[in-house]
């Protein structure tokens, strides 16, 4: 409830106002989520539209065949049957694909990355260490307390090399809570709501609505 998903939405809206492509994906740890789930589904949907006007190199199509079109059970079987080197090749092909798709500027937001599958994290690791040579912004949102050591290491290494910038979405201050709820809330009640919600915007809003319903 601290607003990480809302931040991603705002990022995409700003990208849209600049006429950039804005794509969104969310980690899904479900049993049928497939491999490279964080990237495959959203890129497959976009690729279906993009290919109406563009052609992809044959080697990219061949390497991404196990995961595109949309993730399915057969893709997981194909991936498992490939040697490790081929998995690296798929991630490299994903890197090249993003470079082509981001030719005119693209923002890709990834939510709940603390739940991402291992292959998606491997791809993210590669993208952080080898930035795409195109105007591409990847925005990663996750819950720090639930982040795996692998995810923490990926982002820490990227920050160390200047490829990752961190933005902490923390609790609202009392003045920010005042602005968030708008006029009409007495100061003494506002302070109590802020204290009860610990500055969490979602909790603050729910508590304020409770107050109004009890009036």
């Amino acid at each position: 409830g601290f607003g990480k998903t809302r931040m991603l939405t705002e990022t995409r809206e700003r990208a849209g106002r600049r006429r950039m492509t804005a794509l969104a994906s969310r980690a899904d740890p479900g049993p049928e989520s497939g491999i490279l789930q964080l990237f495959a589904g959203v890129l497959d949907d976009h690729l279906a539209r993009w290919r109406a006007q563009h052609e992809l190199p044959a080697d990219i199509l061949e390497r991404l065949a196990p995961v595109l079109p949309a993730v399915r059970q057969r893709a997981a079987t194909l991936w498992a049957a490939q040697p490790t080197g081929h998995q690296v090749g798929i991630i490299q092909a994903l890197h090249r694909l993003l470079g082509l798709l981001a030719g005119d500027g693209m923002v890709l937001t990834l939510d709940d990355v603390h739940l991402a599958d291992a292959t998606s994290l491997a791809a993210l690791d590669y993208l952080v260490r080898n930035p795409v040579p195109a105007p591409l912004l990847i925005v990663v949102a996750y819950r720090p307390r639930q982040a795996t050591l692998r995810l923490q290491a990926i982002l820490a290494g990227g920050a160390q090399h200047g490829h990752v910038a961190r933005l902490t979405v923390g609790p609202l201050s009392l003045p920010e809570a005042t602005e968030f709820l708008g006029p009409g809330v007495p100061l003494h009640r506002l302070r109590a709501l802020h204290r009860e919600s610990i500055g969490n915007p979602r909790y603050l809003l729910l508590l304020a609505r409770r107050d109004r319903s009890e009036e």
Side-chain angles (χ1 to χ4, degrees):
F2 277 103
K4 62 180 180 59
T5 300
R6 183 67 188 89
M7 181 192 70
L8 297 183
T9 301
E10 177 68 20
T11 301
R12 293 193 302 274
E13 290 176 353
R14 293 190 180 193
R17 290 196 291 269
R18 297 187 181 188
R19 300 185 181 278
M20 299 172 66
T21 300
L23 304 178
S25 182
R26 179 189 297 271
D28 178 7
E32 298 182 0
S33 60
I35 51 86
L36 272 183
Q37 178 268 330
L38 199 54
F39 298 93
V42 62
L43 291 182
D44 188 55
D45 291 341
H46 180 63
L47 193 58
R49 299 186 296 270
W50 189 84
R51 288 193 66 193
Q53 298 178 332
H54 305 82
E55 283 297 327
L56 283 175
D59 62 323
I60 291 183
L61 290 174
E62 180 181 357
R63 287 189 171 186
L64 292 179
V67 292
L68 299 173
V71 178
R72 56 189 181 273
Q73 185 62 38
R74 180 169 177 267
T77 303
L78 286 170
W79 179 275
Q82 302 298 336
T84 302
H86 194 75
Q87 295 183 18
V88 173
I90 291 177
I91 292 175
Q92 291 173 339
L94 173 67
H95 180 274
R96 290 179 59 196
L97 173 63
L98 287 171
L100 293 173
L101 297 179
D104 296 325
M106 184 168 78
V107 170
L108 174 60
T109 65
L110 307 175
D111 202 358
D112 288 336
V113 180
H114 55 281
L115 300 175
D117 62 278
T119 51
S120 290
L121 288 181
L124 182 62
D125 187 19
Y126 186 89
L127 292 168
V128 167
R129 289 186 290 105
N130 303 275
V132 172
L136 169 67
L137 173 65
I138 299 178
V139 186
V140 173
Y142 64 98
R143 295 177 181 174
R145 292 184 180 180
Q146 298 180 31
T148 62
L149 292 177
R150 177 79 185 280
L151 176 58
Q152 294 178 42
I154 290 170
L155 299 178
Q160 184 177 5
H161 290 90
H163 300 161
V164 172
R166 290 179 177 271
L167 177 62
T168 301
V169 181
L172 298 178
S173 65
L174 183 59
E176 289 169 337
T178 303
E179 181 180 358
F180 181 66
L181 292 181
V185 182
L187 181 58
H188 72 280
R189 188 55 195 149
L190 182 62
R191 287 174 174 166
L193 291 173
H194 183 258
R195 183 174 61 255
E196 290 179 55
S197 67
I198 61 171
N200 182 304
R202 179 179 296 173
Y203 296 164
L204 183 65
L205 190 59
L206 290 174
L207 291 170
R209 287 175 177 171
R210 182 199 62 186
D211 273 13
R212 286 195 292 270
S213 67
E214 293 175 352
E215 290 178 354

